[in-house]
Amino acid sequence: MNENEMPGALKGLRSALTRRQLFKSGAMLGPLLALPVQVFAADADDEMPASIKSLSPLEYRVLNRLRVVLLPVQNFDLPSTTEVPVMANLDDLIGRLNAFPRELLRLGLRAFEYGSLFSFTRFSNKDNQDAYKQVESWQGGIFVQRGLMSDIKTLVTFAYWRDPRTWPLLEYDGPVTEKWGIKRLGNAPLPRDPTAYHASGDNSVAEQ
Amino acid sequence: MIIFKQVQKEGVKVVQAKDLDVKTLNLQADVVIVGSGAGGSVIAYEMAKAGRSVIVLEAGRYVPSASFKEDMMDSLKRIYQDVGVQTNTTGDLVVLQGACVGGSSVVNATICARAPDEVLNSWVTDHGLTDLTPDNLAPYYTKIEQYLHVHTNEAHEINSCAAKVVEGSKEMGWSWSPLSRNVKQCALTGHCLAGCPSDRKQSMLVTYLPWAAAEGADRFQVFSDTYVDQVLTRNGRAAAVEGRVIHPDTKEVVADIHVDAQVVILAAGAIQSPMLLQKSGLDGHSGLVGRNLSVNPVVTVLAKFPDPVYGWRGALTGVRVDEFDSPKVGGYTMESTLASPVQLLYQGEQGTGTDHLRFMEEYKYFAALVVTLHDNGNGYVHWDGTVRGGDKIIEWNLSREYFETFKKAIKDAARVFFAAGAEKVYLPTFQRLVATSVFNLDKTVDAIDFGAVGLYSLRMFGYHPQGTCQMGVDPYSSVVNAVGECHTVAGLFVADASIFPTDINVNPQMTVYAMANYIADHILKRANSYFWA
């Protein structure tokens, strides 16, 4: 059977499997290449707040650094990323992820933390300028790097912009139903059966 | 004798995990339905109305519409599947589905469309489904449209984002039309995707489910937080389902549940229904359970205009550009939609640091087109592992062919916006690509990197998974027969978008409702074959 004869479902399966293997090899590339960094770099992780339940110490460090680098809100009319509890929001959101995306994230954050082979510095130990450069470098990197970087950035920025205190700058109205006094309609009345007698004006239908 | 049937004013009576104080539930009903979304609710109502006892089992939570907060994060946590992060194996496609009583009908954008005649005719000629002609399905569509207040958007429902799309389409000489939606007296809040707190979206939560309860009275029950693990059979017939009631917050198993039934309906959606068949060992002869997955991948093209648009205000979905619907000229649809700020974060590559903040500041100047591509069954969904300890695997990847089609679609969407006066267009990619005029548009779009295998090139969502338990007359090339009954298990039906033999090229909810009603009618017409006790 050649490619053209293959049913769509089979073509997709074969090709998806190939990509899965490629992805796994790509995802592991970072940590593997950075193995010397892990060996030589200081491995002490700062303590996490006791309220953090689902992030590992490494994940907390990386995301906490990203919080500062991705959201330099101090020069904007925006609440800070501590006033908006970005790390608590991330902990909550990531704790709800299903096993598969959770594992992808774990791998991705680990790869990102140790991804700087030549500087021998973990991402979370870099100053703002170098940290920004690493983010941009990954964003413009090979497909696995840019994919992971985009997804991690989405998580961090989501944990910030979901908060209503960030919306005035955007002039976003947020929830409006209560503000505008919109009345609730309740459940729809039973559909009218043209062969039945109908009681008018209420949610009931009468049948004889 | 006059019998009055009263619909509960609000809400639906649902047995939730927190309500149970027993460890085992052994129940019986004429019909057990797995899933309370579009298909499950319609069948529940038709069965209850015909006097059958019905139990509906829903894995998601029960969240009454009165408690919707118009907050996307809250909704993602409570009424979306996997917090809105249900992805394919490579994490570059997010398959969005509702997971709550009422299913995806609670969180969808309300767009309603009948399946095109050419699609239905292809089902007749290519799949032997001779009853599913446009003429035969028309009465079902008409009935659903009436029941769910489906109407074509009027002028006040065309918001400023949609108006930009209209302006650009007219300038380009391209066909456009107002969308039809299942909304009653829309309050124009724009929060459809977070659930409608004022019950104007005519979801299953405020229509078919309370109607089924009114018709069925004490013969009708809904259980939420209930995961069906397997369908059980006896002598080649569906006999029961069993599963667990799991507390949605603590994840503790509150009770085991077993429901004996004479008819079992799977309506858990095109991701869950096939996996339930697989877990139950009911793969049939075809080997196609879970295969033929289409997701209708979607990208969002975002445009910035020189003056504020406030594109999120008003009705969420206004118009569509239907110039390119036909596969002969593209095979994609474009619909105007700009939602809440957090949704911008999934659209493309939104910059880092100050660059990102400046991008978000532009929000009020944005309009957006959601571009949907009609794909053709190249995906596969399956369960990996033990019945209770495994995981779902969604295999779907962007082919070169679809990538090239998307590039053309993105260019067309951008042209609409430039024709309407946009200053720049943000492309829906993992790269930072922005077209600043129609003159550099082609070059900018062509810079989207497909890479080796199309991974992480476009930022995509799949809103309409379908096709994974496809209908057909040949048991060796389909999963269910022409009336939705599994070829190899009598009395086991599938009644959701998984039965579509091909992508229907439009938003699927209307066709799910229509097909579910059609299947219910078949069951009731042949009640003597299905209900013997």
Side-chain angles (χ1 to χ4, degrees):
Chain A
M1 183 190 293
N2 65 34
E3 181 84 359
N4 290 334
E5 291 166 350
M6 206 179 282
L10 286 182
K11 262 196 254 185
L13 171 62
R14 188 199 63 182
S15 134
L17 278 173
T18 305
R19 286 171 186 147
R20 200 173 178 190
Q21 286 152 11
L22 264 175
F23 169 73
K24 276 190 174 164
S25 63
M28 292 312 297
L29 188 63
L32 282 174
L33 283 178
L35 199 54
V37 178
Q38 295 180 53
V39 168
F40 292 114
D43 213 353
D45 283 308
D46 293 338
E47 282 182 11
M48 286 194 304
S51 54
I52 298 295
K53 302 289 177 215
S54 54
L55 298 175
S56 71
L58 181 145
E59 289 169 340
Y60 183 85
R61 275 179 63 101
V62 173
L63 291 168
N64 201 25
R65 198 79 197 86
L66 280 167
R67 170 184 66 83
V68 173
V69 172
L70 297 180
L71 296 162
V73 297
Q74 51 276 13
N75 296 326
F76 290 77
D77 186 17
L78 285 166
S80 74
T81 56
T82 43
E83 189 186 337
V84 171
V86 169
M87 294 311 297
N89 289 344
L90 277 168
D91 185 56
D92 177 49
L93 177 60
I94 290 168
R96 294 170 189 271
L97 292 179
N98 224 9
F100 176 69
R102 183 66 183 94
E103 178 64 9
L104 272 186
L105 181 65
R106 188 190 70 79
L107 276 176
L109 287 171
R110 188 166 188 81
F112 188 67
E113 171 74 331
Y114 294 113
S116 242
L117 177 64
F118 298 107
S119 67
F120 288 94
T121 311
R122 292 167 62 164
F123 170 77
S124 55
N125 286 341
K126 289 184 174 176
D127 63 28
N128 283 352
Q129 197 173 0
D130 286 343
Y132 176 90
K133 279 185 192 160
Q134 183 175 337
V135 170
E136 290 288 271
S137 164
W138 271 59
Q139 191 65 63
I142 63 169
F143 66 96
V144 173
Q145 289 176 308
R146 67 172 180 242
L148 282 170
M149 196 70 252
S150 290
D151 286 345
I152 293 168
K153 280 162 80 174
T154 296
L155 281 173
V156 174
T157 52
F158 189 98
Y160 181 73
W161 294 108
R162 56 156 294 189
D163 193 294
R165 288 170 286 187
T166 65
W167 298 342
L169 179 78
L170 313 182
E171 296 185 47
Y172 175 61
D173 311 288
V176 292
T177 293
E178 201 178 309
K179 211 190 303 184
W180 294 350
I182 296 170
K183 291 184 83 164
R184 299 191 54 242
L185 298 183
N187 289 334
L190 272 170
R192 303 268 173 188
D193 179 352
T195 62
Y197 165 79
H198 299 288
S200 61
D202 66 359
N203 277 5
S204 59
V205 169
E207 291 182 354
Q208 288 207 271
Chain B
M1 185 173 75
I2 295 175
I3 302 167
F4 286 92
K5 292 176 189 171
Q6 190 80 19
V7 174
Q8 194 168 313
K9 267 195 156 27
E10 339 190 318
V12 181
K13 194 162 163 222
V14 175
V15 178
Q16 304 175 64
K18 66 182 174 69
D19 301 324
L20 293 176
D21 56 9
V22 293
K23 290 291 179 204
T24 312
L25 282 165
N26 283 309
L27 306 168
Q28 264 187 330
D30 293 333
V31 183
V32 64
I33 301 173
V34 182
S36 66
S41 294
V42 168
I43 293 204
Y45 167 69
E46 296 295 337
M47 291 292 144
K49 194 165 158 221
R52 294 291 159 191
S53 57
V54 178
I55 290 177
V56 178
L57 303 176
E58 167 58 52
R61 293 174 195 254
Y62 171 54
V63 181
S65 53
S67 74
F68 292 153
K69 296 180 182 169
E70 298 175 304
D71 172 356
M72 204 55 207
M73 185 67 226
D74 176 73
S75 296
L76 287 172
K77 287 199 274 195
R78 294 201 292 161
I79 58 177
Y80 273 83
Q81 185 71 48
D82 298 354
V83 206
V85 192
Q86 176 177 237
T87 71
N88 62 346
T89 51
T90 44
D92 59 345
L93 171 85
V94 176
V95 181
L96 276 179
Q97 289 181 298
C100 57
V101 172
S104 295
S105 75
V106 173
V107 300
N108 69 15
T110 71
I111 298 171
C112 292
R114 298 188 181 194
D117 287 356
E118 58 262 28
V119 169
L120 296 177
N121 288 332
S122 77
W123 290 2
V124 172
T125 52
D126 300 344
H127 299 274
L129 301 170
T130 49
D131 264 356
L132 298 183
T133 62
D135 285 344
N136 283 353
L137 282 185
Y140 290 105
Y141 281 127
T142 302
K143 176 181 169 184
I144 305 288
E145 285 159 357
Q146 195 183 346
Y147 280 18
L148 298 185
H149 281 263
V150 176
H151 71 282
T152 304
N153 279 342
E154 298 176 7
H156 67 285
E157 293 164 301
I158 308 295
N159 71 356
S160 50
C161 172
K164 288 293 184 194
V165 173
V166 172
E167 187 185 338
S169 301
K170 283 181 175 172
E171 211 38 58
M172 297 297 297
W174 288 346
S175 169
W176 66 274
S177 54
L179 288 163
S180 293
R181 302 184 300 141
N182 59 319
V183 184
K184 186 168 150 188
Q185 299 166 28
C186 183
L188 309 177
T189 65
H191 285 289
C192 303
L193 304 181
C196 182
S198 61
D199 308 318
R200 284 141 204 277
K201 179 193 290 190
Q202 300 295 279
S203 75
M204 298 297 96
L205 198 54
V206 301
T207 58
Y208 275 89
L209 283 172
W211 298 344
E215 294 285 357
D218 57 6
R219 289 179 285 103
F220 177 78
Q221 286 182 287
V222 181
F223 288 80
S224 66
D225 313 319
T226 303
Y227 293 79
V228 173
D229 292 315
Q230 286 189 301
V231 176
L232 305 178
T233 62
R234 194 181 304 124
N235 300 326
R237 288 196 73 94
V241 299
E242 63 181 22
R244 296 159 288 162
V245 182
I246 300 177
H247 196 289
D249 296 319
T250 65
K251 307 297 175 203
E252 194 190 318
V253 176
V254 167
D256 290 322
I257 184 167
H258 177 104
V259 182
D260 288 312
Q262 298 178 79
V263 168
V264 175
I265 312 278
L266 302 190
I271 301 296
Q272 301 295 338
S273 286
M275 291 198 297
L276 186 46
L277 289 175
Q278 292 161 355
K279 284 192 269 183
S280 307
L282 301 173
D283 289 31
H285 298 310
S286 65
L288 288 175
V289 174
R291 297 192 188 273
N292 192 46
L293 171 68
S294 297
V295 300
N296 288 178
V298 158
V299 296
T300 304
V301 176
L302 199 62
K304 180 185 181 258
F305 287 84
D307 298 315
V309 178
Y310 297 105
W312 66 86
R313 291 179 181 163
L316 178 69
T317 46
V319 300
R320 59 197 290 250
V321 180
D322 47 28
E323 178 80 15
F324 306 100
D325 278 5
S326 164
K328 295 176 195 151
V329 291
Y332 47 85
T333 311
M334 300 194 265
E335 290 156 346
S336 66
T337 311
L338 182 68
S340 65
V342 293
Q343 280 148 295
L344 295 180
L345 308 171
Y346 291 92
Q347 180 269 339
E349 202 295 286
Q350 313 312 358
T352 305
T354 304
D355 198 27
H356 167 72
L357 298 174
R358 295 248 176 267
F359 166 79
M360 293 300 287
E361 264 189 322
E362 293 177 344
Y363 178 54
K364 67 183 180 219
Y365 297 91
F366 288 154
L369 268 170
V370 164
V371 179
T372 306
L373 190 143
H374 300 292
D375 60 327
N376 230 348
N378 284 342
Y380 176 39
V381 57
H382 57 106
W383 186 254
D384 183 40
T386 58
V387 170
R388 291 189 171 186
D391 206 355
K392 73 182 149 200
I393 309 285
I394 301 173
E395 301 197 30
W396 186 96
N397 291 107
L398 184 68
S399 67
R400 185 92 214 189
E401 180 197 344
Y402 291 149
F403 174 74
E404 294 299 331
T405 304
F406 256 136
K407 272 173 42 183
K408 180 181 180 300
I410 291 166
K411 288 175 185 174
D412 288 335
R415 284 194 175 92
V416 167
F417 284 133
F418 282 126
E423 287 180 338
K424 53 183 165 179
V425 171
Y426 291 93
L427 302 188
T429 76
F430 284 88
Q431 300 155 259
R432 185 85 158 132
L433 290 172
V434 182
T436 52
S437 87
V438 72
F439 300 109
N440 64 29
L441 172 63
D442 285 355
K443 190 172 160 199
T444 310
V445 174
D446 289 339
I448 302 175
D449 176 27
F450 182 75
V453 288
L455 287 176
Y456 299 115
S457 55
L458 296 171
R459 286 203 91 167
M460 299 174 289
F461 284 88
Y463 292 141
H464 308 145
Q466 55 194 278
T468 47
C469 297
Q470 60 185 296
M471 217 180 212
V473 295
D474 176 7
Y476 290 89
S477 61
S478 58
V479 175
V480 300
N481 66 15
V483 291
E485 191 171 16
C486 284
H487 284 296
T488 52
V489 183
L492 177 60
F493 292 82
V494 183
D496 55 36
S498 59
I499 63 177
F500 298 166
T502 66
D503 177 1
I504 60 165
N505 289 355
V506 295
N507 308 67
Q509 66 165 331
M510 290 294 296
T511 306
V512 174
Y513 299 135
M515 296 286 289
N517 204 154
Y518 166 80
I519 290 169
D521 278 357
H522 164 81
I523 294 170
L524 292 170
K525 252 188 238 161
R526 301 194 56 208
N528 289 340
S529 302
Y530 295 116
F531 304 110
W532 63 89

